[in-house]
Amino acid sequence: MMIRKFKILLSLFFVVSLFTSFQTVANPDPKDKILLTILKYVLTEGHYEPHEINDAFSERIYFDFLDRLDPAKRYFLQSDVDEFSKYKTQIDDQINNKDLTFFFTVYERFKQRTNESKNYYQEILKHPFDFSKDEILNVDYEKAPYATNKNQLLNVWHKQLKFSTLSRLYDKLTDEEDKKKEDASYVMKSINELEKESREATRIGMKESFERFDELTYSDWFSTFINCIAEEFDPHTTYFDPSVKKRFDISMAGKLEGIGARLQKKNDYTKVSELISGGPAWKQGELEVGDLITKVAQGDEDPVDIVGMRLDDAIEYIKGKKGTEVRLTVKKVDGTIKEISIIRDVVELEETFVKSSIVKKEGRTFGVIHLPKFYIDFDEKNFRNSATDMEQEIERLKKENVEGLVLDLRNNGGGSLQTAIEITGLFIDKGPVVQVKYRDRAPDIKKDKNSKIQWDGPLVVLVNELSASASEIFAAAMQDYKRAVIIGGKQTYGKGTVQSVLDLNRYHSLKEDFGALKMTIQKFYRINGGSTQLEGVHSDIMLPDRFTYMEIGERDLENPLKFDKVPQANYSLWNNYQNYDTAINNSKKRVASNHYFKLINQNAKWLKKSQDDTIIYLNLNEYKKDIENNKNESLKYKSIRNYTTNLTFNSPLYEKPLIESDKDLAEKRETWHKNLKKDIYVEEALNVLSELKIKPQHHLVKN
């Protein structure tokens, strides 16, 4: 009834808009006003934690929109911003009154400034750069002021183009030196020749970038403004215009071809935020979360500089057809520069499925199970899902008389809530697993209702800072029941919210496509009452890793929902370990005295320092020295990469005939087992597992 009444009001509003829209200076499309009306209605009525649309909300939209249009502060002048500032506390009133004056004022000025800037880069790049001059570029643009005049703006452009050219020049110099090493008779190109080539490559890159820029339509920029409003509610609430919605549907169906990585904007850079299990980048193994992509090249073509580029534009360069090569130049988290070649492909579903390995440790047998994702497929008649696969895998390992299990959930970004609940049920008697709460309602306690326990032996769960969502629900339940020891990163990702994609066309009766809104509608809570939001799951045994001191996870995003609590569910501890606390304390002592973990911790501190360093030297010698210093510093931690254990990993018996008949599978398992042998985290998880003792003839506590 509410939607039907809203449709009638919108139809009337549309007629009125047709007669009134021509009276405004910017002549907005009535459709835009209707979209704004629908968006406000859906967000305030349906979002888990609706914001009051007031002056404070208005100010946040104001700064966010300017930042999205001009993140590197190379278009707007301070005088422009001074002019815009009168709208700082008026945007809320404009949203309520379907008034788009702020958007049009900024948008029209933005078009003017970007057109002017096409002349800036061409003029600057006509002249050689002086790389002997002591000059720096600070890429922390959030703290940078806007230029007060055209000369200052040209200086901003000059420094950014100089850096782009310098990075190319350094690569070319390195190539020349390598050629000379290979062939002593090779005549190296002069620095002036290489500078000219590098400058020309920068010019071509800028020209192509502006060509892509010009392809963006008014609708693209209006969607940017709409998303400033939507994402103010929380970082997972996003508006999809009709074309973006189609791409989203394709990606959800798993048909999108590319490198298999999620990307986000970080200052002026495109940052890798997640690698998709089974995707090309995940399989290739060199690209990592936290890497900053600076250049993109198609096959043998020259690379395009994407620093300062809009995220959507950068993604267009990176994605592509199956079988094509993309070469990414990345700034690693340790500050070193690396080129990574990836052959684009579709995500390999087989790589997302449960797999296990048998490990021998001091004459005892244990199982390691890797779960990259909580998968389920409702479209397949006889669909595979992670819960039934996990149950089967445990049964197979039991036949090989394993004494304990390590369940590896590192980098598992989540998936199906249903399977997370069912997998929890494999390790406990029936009882509550997670609490799911809608806005203004009491929490709904989701339970495992099956009293069957598939595995009642020792269990260790391995997590890291990229274990998220359903992974956190499972790990939290195991921790709250004291069913397993949680070992790994300082804390998991901290995503405790649920989103739903709403078709906005259900809110009107017009012959227009208004797209969709992905909106946060629920929140997860542990059975102990605490939310997994922001806090995630804190490991019982914290193992230092490269992400320990970095800003990574939900807390690093803009506008995350807060951590809070609900009443605790009624549950009883598993209480069947003889030495639960002792095993944890022994591990903490081992970790504290372990040379490699100390080195990993020192490395993590250095990586954090490198991440916070926003100064780039524009003097060639200083630039080289900075890169060499980072390389030399990283060598101090080389032994971490060379670490190996004395453990032996093998495929379970059932898989051996499959490996013999499938060369591809054999290679994958061989690689996985080699990596497990070098994995200090798996080693310590197995140390804990080997110590855990179950009470003799234990009786499981009933809930």
Side-chain angles (χ1 to χ4, degrees):
M1 179 65 76
M2 188 185 298
I3 289 177
R4 194 169 67 82
K5 284 182 178 178
F6 188 69
K7 284 182 178 179
I8 294 168
L9 286 171
L10 273 182
S11 297
L12 291 169
F13 171 67
F14 184 75
V15 174
V16 173
S17 294
L18 284 173
F19 290 101
T20 60
S21 62
F22 300 105
Q23 298 169 13
T24 63
V25 177
N27 291 339
D29 187 332
K31 181 185 171 184
D32 297 336
K33 293 187 174 187
I34 292 172
L35 175 58
L36 196 64
T37 306
I38 293 173
L39 188 79
K40 179 197 167 190
Y41 173 79
V42 174
L43 285 169
T44 53
E45 294 297 318
H47 193 274
Y48 182 87
E49 197 171 276
H51 285 256
E52 187 179 344
I53 298 179
N54 54 20
D55 286 355
F57 183 88
S58 176
E59 282 199 43
R60 293 193 294 271
I61 301 295
Y62 169 83
F63 287 114
D64 190 22
F65 188 50
L66 294 187
D67 183 58
R68 292 197 195 199
L69 295 189
D70 190 11
K73 295 181 177 172
R74 61 183 178 193
Y75 298 120
F76 291 131
L77 293 168
Q78 183 61 50
S79 57
D80 297 326
V81 178
D82 291 341
E83 186 181 334
F84 303 152
S85 65
K86 66 184 176 185
Y87 299 112
K88 200 180 287 184
T89 58
Q90 294 179 21
I91 301 168
D92 56 320
D93 303 311
Q94 291 184 7
I95 291 170
N96 290 327
N97 295 321
K98 298 92 181 172
D99 181 352
L100 297 172
T101 304
F102 167 72
F103 166 74
F104 273 104
T105 302
V106 176
Y107 170 65
E108 292 294 337
R109 185 64 51 82
F110 180 64
K111 283 199 300 180
Q112 177 192 336
R113 296 302 185 210
T114 52
N115 280 329
E116 290 170 355
S117 67
K118 292 174 186 177
N119 297 320
Y120 301 162
Y121 87 84
Q122 293 179 57
E123 185 59 35
I124 290 167
L125 291 171
K126 284 179 183 176
H127 311 286
F129 287 112
D130 179 3
F131 291 116
S132 65
K133 185 178 176 184
D134 285 331
E135 199 173 18
I136 60 168
L137 171 66
N138 190 337
V139 292
D140 185 2
Y141 297 118
E142 286 180 21
K143 295 176 184 174
Y146 287 96
T148 56
N149 54 52
K150 185 179 174 182
N151 285 338
Q152 281 188 10
L153 196 61
L154 283 168
N155 188 47
V156 171
W157 272 94
H158 188 273
K159 283 188 174 185
Q160 291 179 6
L161 292 170
K162 189 174 184 179
F163 166 48
S164 183
T165 305
L166 176 58
S167 64
R168 287 184 166 92
L169 176 61
Y170 176 81
D171 292 342
K172 287 179 180 293
L173 281 167
T174 305
D175 287 343
E176 289 293 296
E177 288 165 4
D178 289 344
K179 287 174 184 175
K180 186 69 174 175
K181 285 175 187 174
E182 290 173 11
D183 179 4
S185 65
Y186 178 74
V187 180
M188 292 174 62
K189 292 181 181 178
S190 70
I191 187 79
N192 290 338
E193 285 180 282
L194 295 175
E195 188 277 341
K196 187 176 181 181
E197 286 179 11
S198 302
R199 196 159 26 91
E200 176 60 12
T202 299
R203 188 194 67 78
I204 292 170
M206 287 304 305
K207 178 175 175 287
E208 291 174 350
S209 182
F210 270 107
E211 284 171 356
R212 294 192 68 83
F213 205 78
D214 289 340
E215 289 172 7
L216 294 170
T217 64
Y218 160 83
S219 294
D220 293 318
W221 296 112
F222 187 65
S223 293
T224 299
F225 175 63
I226 289 294
N227 262 317
C228 288
I229 299 169
E231 291 170 26
E232 188 56 44
F233 282 71
D234 83 294
H236 305 291
T237 294
T238 307
Y239 169 66
F240 299 143
D241 73 24
S243 61
V244 173
K245 174 62 166 58
K246 285 175 187 173
R247 291 203 298 269
F248 176 78
D249 289 342
I250 292 168
S251 69
M252 288 301 286
K255 296 172 187 172
L256 194 64
E257 296 173 358
I259 66 167
R262 296 195 201 284
L263 307 171
Q264 66 183 67
K265 203 69 183 166
K266 184 71 174 178
N267 292 330
D268 218 18
Y269 289 99
T270 298
K271 178 182 174 183
V272 179
S273 61
E274 182 186 350
L275 296 179
I276 310 302
S277 296
W282 180 84
K283 286 188 286 183
Q284 197 268 356
E286 292 184 293
L287 194 68
E288 297 175 285
V289 169
D291 285 351
L292 303 176
I293 303 173
T294 60
K295 299 175 193 172
V296 182
Q298 315 300 327
D300 295 330
E301 293 178 18
D302 288 335
V304 173
D305 191 336
I306 64 166
V307 176
M309 193 179 283
R310 288 174 80 246
L311 182 60
D312 286 349
D313 294 340
I315 289 170
E316 286 298 318
Y317 280 105
I318 294 165
K319 73 181 187 182
K321 291 292 182 184
K322 175 181 177 179
T324 58
E325 181 194 26
V326 62
R327 290 183 291 114
L328 306 178
T329 302
V330 301
K331 183 180 181 184
K332 306 296 287 183
V333 288
D334 62 4
T336 57
I337 307 298
K338 186 172 188 179
E339 184 177 88
I340 299 171
S341 171
I342 300 171
I343 304 301
R344 298 177 177 107
D345 204 345
V346 294
V347 172
E348 240 183 85
L349 285 178
E350 193 64 37
E351 292 294 338
T352 69
F353 294 150
V354 170
K355 62 184 176 187
S356 68
S357 182
I358 301 289
V359 55
K360 295 289 185 181
K361 178 177 167 62
E362 296 167 357
R364 300 168 66 189
T365 305
F366 300 99
V368 176
I369 300 177
H370 182 227
L371 179 64
K373 184 179 180 181
F374 288 83
Y375 52 87
I376 194 166
D377 187 350
F378 294 107
D379 295 329
E380 292 290 331
K381 190 173 181 183
N382 299 308
F383 63 85
R384 288 187 71 168
N385 74 70
S386 50
T388 54
D389 283 358
M390 179 70 75
E391 183 177 10
Q392 184 181 44
E393 205 70 22
I394 292 170
E395 193 58 32
R396 288 163 167 169
L397 294 177
K398 280 162 69 175
K399 288 176 182 176
E400 299 199 39
N401 300 314
V402 297
E403 297 181 46
L405 295 177
V406 171
L407 179 51
D408 187 355
L409 296 182
R410 289 174 297 175
N411 305 317
N412 183 321
S416 160
L417 172 64
Q418 177 186 323
T419 59
I421 293 167
E422 290 173 0
I423 290 174
T424 302
L426 300 176
F427 302 101
I428 62 166
D429 191 10
K430 58 186 178 184
V433 174
V434 64
Q435 304 188 69
V436 182
K437 187 179 181 303
Y438 281 99
R439 159 184 165 187
D440 300 330
R441 291 192 210 168
D444 179 19
I445 300 173
K446 303 288 185 182
K447 297 182 178 181
D448 163 47
K449 297 175 181 177
N450 189 341
S451 59
K452 179 187 174 185
I453 298 174
Q454 191 67 22
W455 177 255
D456 62 0
L459 179 65
V460 172
V461 177
L462 189 54
V463 296
N464 66 1
E465 287 83 354
L466 300 173
S467 304
S469 197
S471 295
E472 297 175 285
I473 289 167
F474 173 80
M478 293 294 96
Q479 189 175 62
D480 290 345
Y481 276 106
K482 287 199 171 183
R483 174 61 188 93
V485 173
I486 311 300
I487 184 169
K490 181 174 58 177
Q491 68 181 89
T492 55
Y493 189 85
K495 183 180 184 291
T497 58
V498 187
Q499 287 71 42
S500 178
V501 178
L502 304 176
D503 183 355
L504 296 183
N505 296 308
R506 57 191 289 225
Y507 294 93
H508 68 85
S509 307
L510 308 170
K511 294 179 181 178
E512 297 275 2
D513 188 351
F514 284 83
L517 182 72
K518 178 164 71 78
M519 183 171 68
T520 298
I521 58 166
Q522 293 174 316
K523 211 169 176 183
F524 289 134
Y525 295 85
R526 302 168 65 137
I527 55 175
N528 72 4
S531 175
T532 53
Q533 177 65 11
L534 294 187
E535 287 295 311
V537 177
H538 291 260
S539 296
D540 298 314
I541 302 162
M542 199 279 274
L543 305 179
D545 63 25
R546 65 188 316 161
F547 301 122
T548 299
Y549 302 102
M550 288 193 187
E551 294 175 348
I552 193 165
E554 185 83 0
R555 58 199 176 280
D556 188 37
L557 302 178
E558 295 287 331
N559 311 316
L561 296 190
K562 64 182 184 299
F563 167 84
D564 62 342
K565 294 182 177 181
V566 296
Q568 180 174 304
N570 183 24
Y571 69 100
S572 302
L573 297 181
W574 192 70
N575 201 28
N576 290 305
Y577 287 116
Q578 272 187 350
N579 61 338
Y580 183 83
D581 293 330
T582 304
I584 290 172
N585 289 331
N586 288 345
S587 176
K588 287 179 178 178
K589 289 173 187 173
R590 271 194 307 275
V591 171
S593 62
N594 185 293
H595 164 72
Y596 284 97
F597 279 126
K598 286 180 182 177
L599 198 60
I600 289 167
N601 193 53
Q602 289 170 20
N603 186 35
K605 287 180 178 177
W606 175 63
L607 291 174
K608 171 61 176 168
K609 186 181 174 184
S610 298
Q611 187 187 52
D612 292 342
D613 184 6
T614 58
I615 300 298
I616 292 169
Y617 296 97
L618 300 179
N619 174 294
L620 177 57
N621 290 330
E622 291 299 318
Y623 183 79
K624 280 182 180 178
K625 194 188 297 182
D626 192 41
I627 290 176
E628 290 305 314
N629 285 342
N630 277 322
K631 282 181 182 175
N632 292 333
E633 185 72 22
S634 67
L635 289 175
K636 293 180 184 178
Y637 309 107
K638 189 177 178 182
S639 61
I640 297 171
R641 295 190 291 274
N642 297 334
Y643 183 82
T644 188
T645 71
N646 60 2
L647 300 169
T648 303
F649 296 86
N650 288 292
S651 288
L653 289 173
Y654 84 88
E655 200 173 59
K656 292 192 173 173
L658 300 174
I659 287 173
E660 287 174 14
S661 62
D662 187 338
K663 186 181 176 184
D664 189 39
L665 179 63
E667 287 176 1
K668 287 174 183 174
R669 290 298 181 263
E670 184 182 357
T671 301
W672 183 43
H673 291 148
K674 279 182 182 176
N675 290 337
L676 285 173
K677 186 174 177 64
K678 295 173 59 119
D679 196 325
I680 193 171
Y681 302 98
V682 169
E683 181 185 39
E684 184 53 33
L686 287 164
N687 287 338
V688 176
L689 190 64
S690 65
E691 280 194 28
L692 283 172
K693 292 188 178 76
I694 301 293
K695 291 176 182 176
Q697 298 178 331
H698 72 270
H699 298 284
L700 294 173
V701 179
K702 301 289 182 185
N703 286 296

